[in-house]
C-alpha cells in the first residue's frame, strides 16, 4: 500500500441514539369502554461500541467517515407494544487504539485485544409507558416517561503500534537498515534524513521457531517533544513497546550526549517512558577494530546493556537478538495491562486533523421532550411523574 495510507490519528464525531418515548394510550375496544392504560415502553437508543480487530493496521477507514451516529429507539404504542430498539454502531479499530476527548484531551479508553468491545457512548433508555404507573389509587395515569436523550461527543483516536522492541535514534542512525536485515520488512532506506515517514513493523525470527516484533519509527531530533521534526507525531508508537532499543552510530561525536538527548525527549513526551527497559546498540561498526571498540566502551552510558553491530556486514546481530530476547522475556519488563496514557495537549495534536470542522445535525426531537443532561446530573422531577396521582379519575 502507499505510504500515505497509514493513518494513526483521526478526529470524529460520535452520537448515540435517544430512547423512544413511552406511550400514554388508554385501551378502548367494543364492550370494553374503560379498558385502562395499555401504553407500551419506548425502545432503547443505539450505542456506539468500539471493537478491536487484529486484521486492521491503520485508521484509514475512519478518516473519511467523520460522523458515526447510532439510530434512535422507537416510541411505544397501544396494547403494551414496546418500541423497537435503536441499532448499535460498532466501530472496528486496530488493536492498540487509544481514545481521547477532543475538547479536553482527557483519556477515555483503549482497545488492545482482538474482539475486545468498549461502549464509548451508551444509548438513551426508553421511557416507560403509562401502564407501568397504574395503581390502586391511580387507575388511569394519562402520562408516560420520555426517553433519555442521546449522547454526543467529539473524540480523537490514536493508534499506538503493539511491538516488543521499539527502535529509538536520530535520523540516519541505521534503524531501517537493521529492521530490513533481521526481518522480512522492507522499509525505505536512503542516505538522507527522515527517510522513514511512517512506522514500520517487522517479525524477527529467533531460535526454535520463536519470534518477536520490532517497530521502527521516524528519527528523533532534539526538540521533538516540542514539535520539531517528525518524531513528535510518531513517538506514541513506542509507548506500548516492552523494550526500547537505542541506536547511535559509531561516527557520532559524543555517544553519551546523544543518548541523553534521546532520553530527555522521551521523558518530555511521556514520563512513563523513563521506566521502560533499554538496550543500546552502537551501529555502523564494520570499520572499527577491537582497539577502537574497547576505547568506545568507556564512552557509553553506565547501567545499560550495550552491543556493537553492523547491519550491512551482519556483525553483532546474533548477539543483539540474544540480548533483546532475554530482555523481552524478563518478567520485570512486561507491559502493564493498564498503560498510563498522557492526556493530549496542544503539542501532542495533529493540527490538520484538529482544524477539521464538524457540522452537527439538527437535534429536533420528534418523540422526546427531555433535555440533555450532564453525566453527574439526574432527571428532573417533571420527567418522572408521581405514580400515585389521586386527582386522576378512577376508571
Amino acid at each position: 500500500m502507499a505510504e500515505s495510507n497509514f493513518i494513526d490519528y483521526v478526529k470524529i464525531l460520535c452520537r448515540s441514539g435517544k430512547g423512544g418515548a413511552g406511550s400514554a394510550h388508554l385501551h378502548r375496544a367494543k364492550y370494553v369502554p374503560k379498558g385502562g392504560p395499555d401504553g407500551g415502553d419506548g425502545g432503547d437508543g443505539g450505542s456506539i461500541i468500539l471493537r478491536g480487530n487484529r486484521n486492521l493496521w491503520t485508521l484509514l477507514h475512519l478518516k473519511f467517515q467523520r460522523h458515526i451516529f447510532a439510530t434512535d429507539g422507537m416510541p411505544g404504542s397501544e396494547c403494551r407494544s414496546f418500541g423497537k430498539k435503536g441499532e448499535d454502531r460498532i466501530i472496528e479499530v486496530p488493536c492498540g487504539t487509544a481514545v481521547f476527548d477532543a475538547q479536553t484531551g482527557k483519556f477515555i479508553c483503549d482497545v488492545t485485544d482482538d474482539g475486545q468491545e468498549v461502549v464509548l457512548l451508551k444509548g438513551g433508555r426508553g421511557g416507560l409507558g403509562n401502564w407501568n404507573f397504574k395503581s390502586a389509587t391511580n387507575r388511569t395515569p394519562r402520562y408516560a416517561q420520555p426517553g433519555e436523550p442521546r449522547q454526543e461527543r467529539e473524540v480523537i483516536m490514536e493508534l499506538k503500534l503493539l511491538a516488543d522492541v521499539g527502535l529509538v535514534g536520530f535520523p540516519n542512525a541505521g534503524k531501517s537498515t537493521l529492521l530490513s536485515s533481521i526481518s522480512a520488512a522492507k522499509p525505505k532506506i536512503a542516505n538522507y534524513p527522515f527517510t522513514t515517514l511512517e512506522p514500520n513493523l517487522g517479525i524477527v525470527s529467533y531460535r526454535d521457531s520463536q519470534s518477536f516484533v520490532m517497530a521502527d519509527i521516524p528519527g528523533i531530533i532534539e526538540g521533538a517533544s516540542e514539535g520539531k521534526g517528525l518524531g513528535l507525531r510518531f513517538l506514541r508508537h513506542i509507548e506500548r513497546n516492552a523494550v526500547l532499543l537505542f541506536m547511535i552510530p559509531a561516527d557520532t561525536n559524543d555517544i553519551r550526549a546523544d543518548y541523553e538527548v534521546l532520553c530527555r525527549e522521551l521523558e518530555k513526551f511521556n514520563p512513563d517512558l523513563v521506566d521502560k527497559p533499554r538496550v543500546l546498540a552502537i551501529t555502523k561498526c564494520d570499520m572499527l577494530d577491537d582497539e577502537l571498540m574497547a576505547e568506545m566502551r568507556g564512552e557509553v552510558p553506565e547501567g545499560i546493556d550495550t552491543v556493537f553491530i553492523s547491519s550491512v556486514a551482519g556483525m553483532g546481530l546474533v548477539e543483539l537478538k540474544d540480548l533483546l530476547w532475554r530482555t523481552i522475556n524478563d518478567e520485570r519488563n512486561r507491559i502493564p495491562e493498564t498503560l498510563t496514557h498522557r492526556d493530549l495537549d496542544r503539542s501532542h495534536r495533529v493540527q490538520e486533523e484538529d482544524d477539521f470542522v464538524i457540522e452537527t445535525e439538527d437535534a429536533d426531537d420528534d418523540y422526546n421532550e427531555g433535555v440533555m443532561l450532564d453525566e453527574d446530573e439526574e432527571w428532573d422531577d417533571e420527567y418522572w411523574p408521581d405514580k400515585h396521582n389521586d386527582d386522576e379519575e378512577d376508571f
Side-chain angles (χ1 to χ4, degrees):
M1 298 184 70
E3 291 181 353
S4 60
N5 283 341
F6 181 80
I7 303 298
D8 58 357
Y9 184 107
V10 295
K11 177 182 177 182
I12 62 177
L13 175 66
C14 299
R15 189 172 71 190
S16 63
K18 61 189 176 184
S23 173
H25 186 268
L26 298 176
H27 181 71
R28 289 293 183 265
K30 190 174 183 180
Y31 307 118
V32 187
K34 295 184 178 180
D38 67 344
D41 301 343
D44 296 337
S47 301
I48 303 294
I49 301 175
L50 303 179
R51 178 189 292 167
N53 188 339
R54 64 182 178 184
N55 297 319
L56 296 176
W57 65 283
T58 175
L59 297 172
L60 177 65
H61 61 292
L62 296 177
K63 182 175 178 62
F64 305 103
Q65 190 180 4
R66 300 305 185 100
H67 295 176
I68 300 180
F69 299 156
T71 58
D72 299 332
M74 299 302 294
S77 58
E78 59 188 38
C79 298
R80 296 188 183 180
S81 297
F82 290 6
K84 181 181 178 181
K85 293 184 178 180
E87 295 183 4
D88 297 333
R89 289 299 306 274
I90 298 179
I91 306 175
E92 301 277 352
V93 295
C95 297
T97 301
V99 184
F100 302 85
D101 186 276
Q103 302 297 328
T104 63
K106 296 294 184 181
F107 170 73
I108 300 175
C109 64
D110 61 350
V111 181
T112 57
D113 301 324
D114 181 51
Q116 177 187 356
E117 292 189 353
V118 178
V119 178
L120 182 61
L121 294 177
K122 187 173 180 58
R125 293 179 299 176
L128 298 178
N130 64 343
W131 74 276
N132 292 277
F133 302 104
K134 65 180 181 179
S135 65
T137 58
N138 185 17
R139 293 181 147 189
T140 315
R142 300 179 185 272
Y143 49 79
Q145 287 179 343
E148 288 185 346
R150 60 173 63 94
Q151 299 181 42
E152 186 173 285
R153 198 174 207 178
E154 293 180 17
V155 298
I156 290 175
M157 294 188 181
E158 274 192 350
L159 174 60
K160 302 180 180 182
L161 295 180
L162 300 173
D164 299 306
V165 179
L167 303 182
V168 181
F170 291 104
N172 281 3
K175 301 186 296 299
S176 299
T177 306
L178 173 64
L179 185 66
S180 64
S181 299
I182 62 178
S183 73
K186 301 299 180 184
K188 184 178 180 180
I189 302 174
N191 189 25
Y192 57 84
F194 297 113
T195 307
T196 302
L197 298 178
E198 64 183 38
N200 295 290
L201 288 178
I203 307 298
V204 181
S205 300
Y206 193 62
R207 298 186 177 93
D208 301 328
S209 301
Q210 301 178 105
S211 63
F212 57 90
V213 182
M214 180 176 288
D216 173 27
I217 68 170
I220 301 173
I221 63 175
E222 188 172 6
S225 59
E226 300 173 357
K228 297 181 180 179
L230 297 176
L232 174 64
R233 180 168 179 176
F234 299 103
L235 277 174
R236 67 175 73 98
H237 294 292
I238 64 177
E239 288 185 307
R240 294 188 186 277
N241 300 155
V243 179
L244 300 182
L245 176 59
F246 286 75
M247 302 186 64
I248 298 178
D251 57 358
T252 187
N253 295 327
D254 191 335
I255 296 177
R256 190 186 302 271
D258 289 352
Y259 174 77
E260 292 176 352
V261 170
L262 293 174
C263 293
R264 187 162 53 249
E265 295 303 322
L266 295 183
E267 182 179 2
K268 289 180 179 179
F269 180 78
N270 189 346
D272 290 343
L273 296 177
V274 177
D275 299 328
K276 284 187 176 293
R278 305 172 183 177
V279 174
L280 176 61
I282 308 300
T283 63
K284 306 178 183 180
C285 295
D286 49 313
M287 299 300 292
L288 300 181
D289 54 19
D290 295 339
E291 182 178 353
L292 285 176
M293 285 191 289
E295 182 179 347
M296 293 181 64
R297 288 186 183 277
E299 301 178 4
V300 300
E302 299 179 357
I304 181 173
D305 296 327
T306 306
V307 58
F308 290 81
I309 66 171
S310 173
S311 302
V312 176
M315 167 188 170
L317 297 185
V318 175
E319 180 184 355
L320 175 63
K321 290 197 289 186
D322 290 339
L323 179 57
L324 291 175
W325 184 259
R326 291 195 304 269
T327 308
I328 292 171
N329 289 276
D330 191 336
E331 292 296 333
R332 296 171 297 179
N333 298 337
R334 292 296 180 184
I335 301 177
E337 296 182 358
T338 56
L339 180 66
T340 302
H341 297 269
R342 49 92 183 105
D343 294 333
L344 293 180
D345 56 26
R346 183 171 300 178
S347 62
H348 293 141
R349 293 175 180 266
V350 179
Q351 192 63 34
E352 57 268 25
E353 290 287 337
D354 283 357
D355 288 342
F356 175 76
V357 178
I358 299 179
E359 296 181 358
T360 59
E361 296 180 354
D362 189 6
D364 290 342
D365 194 336
D366 297 334
Y367 306 113
N368 297 347
E369 299 177 357
V371 296
M372 184 71 76
L373 300 178
D374 296 333
E375 296 180 358
D376 298 334
E377 295 182 354
E378 298 180 354
W379 284 95
D380 193 274
D381 291 340
E382 64 176 300
Y383 301 113
W384 296 89
D386 186 3
K387 290 185 179 181
H388 309 293
N389 189 344
D390 295 333
D391 295 334
E392 295 287 351
E393 63 177 331
D394 294 337
F395 107 93

